[in-house]
Amino acid sequence: MAGAKEIRTKIASIKNTQKITSAMEMVAAAKMRKAQERKEATAPYAAKMKNVISHLSHAHPEYRHSFMIEREAKRVGYIVISSDRGLCGGLNNNLFRQLAREIKIQQESGVEVEFCTIGKKALGFFRRYGGRVMAEATQLGDAPRIEDLIGVVKVMLDAYENGKIDRIYIAYNQFVNTMTQNPTVEQLVPIAGEAEEELKHHWDYIYEPESKEVLDGLLTRYIESLAYQGVVENGACEQSARMVAMKSASDNAGELIDELQLIYNKARQAAITQEISEIVSGAAAV
Amino acid sequence: MAMTIHVDIVSAEGAIHSGLAEMVYAPAVMGELGIAPRHTPLVTQLKAGEVRVDEGDGKEMQHFFVSGGILEVQPHVVTILADTAIRAADLDEAAALEAKRRAEDALAGQQADFEHAKAQAELAEAAAQLRAIDKLRKTHG
């Protein structure tokens, strides 16, 4: 009955692993629901803000904030959003690959790139491969707060205002559904102008204090809220990717256990058969 | 019933309040505002303080704390874009410096240029691993 004991130990150890992965799967499923709710909760703020901004920029065509003016890109900044933890399949790697492609295009056309990272994995990525990282934020947890992002976004916006960078992009995973996450790189600043329908009645707000100050405050918050949305969406992606990865890990462990069980049973059978035939042949010889 | 105005209080992290009110009081930077239905359109910044929503009908006044934000008034809708964080120029500046410092600490001693070839190679390897796992799963499953 050679190896039977080893097989038994192996089965026990895989069972333990399976317990862990299925627990992680359930935890991720619960967290995913919460993360999705969080993602939906951020939508009204950005939508309202966009309304006010488009009205403001419409009512004041002569005043263009620097966040709205396109200029030639010599140096661009990327805000890269990743997860803090691994075990979520190819989520982060897919995003980094997409990003690496973009960076290559930028570098080939002579544009320099700088980065701000959110999440440990992105920081680790740039630590391995180089790249000027201006600021970073990690350990945002499952319920990220906008305070944690203010610093990172401000570093980028300041660099933009000072003319150090001419464009800001944001790279994150877009949540399509539980099975699909889309690595996305979007332009954040300058804010992409949209075709607005003409206002029928020309009316304007009363501003307290100046319209410019109000617009400044609004735009900064708007960009922060977009970055926050990216973080929250990436969080939902992380949980769903982890859920899928852990589910397939549990399934694989199950298959492995079945296979090993079969081998074990065969070994046991063979040992018993051998013993019987030994006894029978022994009795016949007497 | 008296005239009412719709009030939405939202923050970046979620909706806080939505409903009808007879009167809304908010702490604007230029002084406290009271907004009644059919107020003229207005946009203002808010400072930290209390937003009070008077729902009328003898109901108790609702209180919300905001640490700042933007208030938008249209004749039948009041929107308060509330900050959840306490904001001030120097606080923001400190946060920015902190984020910078962390990045410098974390990346001390690494080269500044992004090595595209190396990154691409290792990413391709990771992708190949994932594909191999997938294939294994399919042939075994």
Side-chain angles (χ1 to χ4, degrees):
Chain A
M1 223 177 135
K5 192 167 186 307
E6 281 91 53
I7 296 172
R8 247 195 338 250
T9 351
K10 189 116 203 190
I11 290 175
S13 116
I14 294 173
K15 270 188 184 152
N16 279 336
T17 312
Q18 193 187 28
K19 268 182 213 154
I20 295 169
T21 54
S22 61
M24 284 181 77
E25 181 196 334
M26 279 186 277
V27 171
K31 282 186 178 171
M32 183 187 74
R33 254 192 303 278
K34 269 191 214 138
Q36 269 175 288
E37 281 164 20
R38 208 168 284 126
K39 179 192 142 215
E40 272 147 33
T42 61
Y45 183 77
K48 294 261 184 218
M49 210 155 233
K50 204 168 182 185
N51 272 346
V52 180
I53 289 173
S54 77
H55 186 92
L56 276 177
S57 54
H58 210 88
H60 289 265
E62 77 287 351
Y63 175 63
R64 303 299 281 177
H65 193 276
S66 63
F67 290 166
M68 292 174 161
I69 299 167
E70 288 271 350
R71 51 189 193 218
E72 199 195 338
K74 292 195 198 72
R75 191 189 280 260
V76 296
Y78 286 90
I79 298 177
V80 185
I81 299 170
S82 73
S83 67
D84 269 336
R85 271 174 267 171
L87 292 182
C88 48
L91 183 77
N92 289 317
N93 278 331
N94 288 342
L95 180 68
F96 296 151
R97 202 171 28 224
Q98 167 96 6
L99 186 65
R101 259 200 302 270
E102 293 253 345
I103 294 168
K104 192 176 185 194
I105 294 169
Q106 298 281 16
Q107 281 176 336
E108 274 169 0
S109 55
V111 178
E112 287 181 65
V113 286
E114 297 200 9
F115 307 95
C116 278
T117 65
I118 295 168
K120 266 199 197 136
K121 293 287 161 191
L123 189 65
F125 179 74
F126 291 111
R127 193 183 288 156
R128 258 174 292 148
Y129 306 120
R132 226 193 318 270
V133 178
M134 299 203 298
E136 63 106 3
T138 48
Q139 304 286 5
L140 298 189
D142 296 323
R145 293 171 313 159
I146 202 152
E147 287 105 294
D148 303 326
L149 301 177
I150 290 173
V152 173
V153 175
K154 186 171 167 61
V155 168
M156 273 287 175
L157 291 182
D158 281 353
Y160 180 84
E161 292 251 38
N162 299 336
K164 274 197 220 137
I165 53 176
D166 304 304
R167 224 163 265 181
I168 302 173
Y169 295 92
I170 183 168
Y172 66 102
N173 278 293
Q174 210 170 37
F175 187 90
V176 181
N177 55 43
T178 321
M179 299 299 290
T180 328
Q181 296 90 33
N182 246 350
T184 315
V185 181
E186 276 171 4
Q187 181 171 322
L188 206 58
V189 183
I191 293 165
E194 289 159 39
E196 296 154 14
E197 70 272 34
E198 279 291 315
L199 288 179
K200 287 190 188 88
H201 307 285
H202 197 78
W203 57 277
D204 200 2
Y205 291 109
I206 302 172
Y207 298 98
E208 272 187 42
E210 281 287 294
S211 63
K212 285 174 193 174
E213 275 174 54
V214 175
L215 193 55
D216 281 1
L218 262 174
L219 283 172
T220 313
R221 283 179 176 78
Y222 179 60
I223 289 158
E224 275 165 8
S225 84
L226 288 182
Y228 180 76
Q229 274 189 315
V231 170
V232 173
E233 188 147 4
N234 200 66
C237 288
E238 180 193 345
Q239 298 305 343
S240 66
R242 178 165 302 132
M243 189 182 85
V244 172
M246 287 302 117
K247 182 169 168 43
S248 67
S250 306
D251 290 352
N252 286 350
E255 277 164 29
L256 220 53
I257 290 170
D258 287 350
E259 273 170 41
L260 285 173
Q261 194 70 51
L262 202 64
I263 295 170
Y264 173 74
N265 288 346
K266 273 184 189 158
R268 202 177 64 99
Q269 277 289 333
I272 292 167
T273 314
Q274 196 186 347
E275 216 167 295
I276 290 172
S277 68
E278 273 166 13
I279 292 166
V280 169
S281 58
V286 171
Chain B
M1 194 177 155
M3 261 201 306
T4 54
I5 187 163
H6 194 87
V7 189
D8 281 318
I9 305 180
V10 291
S11 81
E13 288 165 26
I16 296 171
H17 174 81
S18 178
L20 293 173
E22 283 186 4
M23 194 82 180
V24 184
Y25 304 92
V29 283
M30 312 282 279
E32 181 161 282
L33 284 176
I35 297 141
R38 299 204 186 159
H39 193 285
T40 181
L42 170 103
V43 174
T44 180
Q45 285 182 319
L46 297 180
K47 57 186 180 189
E50 202 181 37
V51 172
R52 285 168 296 151
V53 178
D54 186 356
E55 292 183 328
D57 289 342
K59 275 189 213 156
E60 217 169 284
M61 186 101 78
Q62 298 214 46
H63 301 258
F64 302 92
F65 178 78
V66 293
S67 36
I70 311 266
L71 172 86
E72 186 221 2
V73 183
Q74 291 198 21
H76 295 288
V77 191
V78 179
T79 309
I80 294 171
L81 303 161
D83 289 342
T84 45
I86 295 170
R87 305 294 295 263
D90 47 342
L91 276 181
D92 285 10
E93 192 66 49
L97 288 177
E98 176 66 21
K100 264 188 192 168
R101 190 193 55 73
R102 278 199 309 262
E104 277 160 16
D105 285 358
L107 300 169
Q110 63 128 33
Q111 77 283 14
D113 270 336
F114 183 72
E115 282 183 54
H116 190 268
K118 202 172 152 201
Q120 204 62 299
E122 281 199 27
L123 284 172
E125 197 183 309
Q129 277 174 359
L130 282 172
R131 266 201 302 279
I133 291 168
D134 242 21
K135 212 175 259 172
L136 267 177
R137 192 179 305 141
K138 265 179 207 133
T139 52
H140 274 272

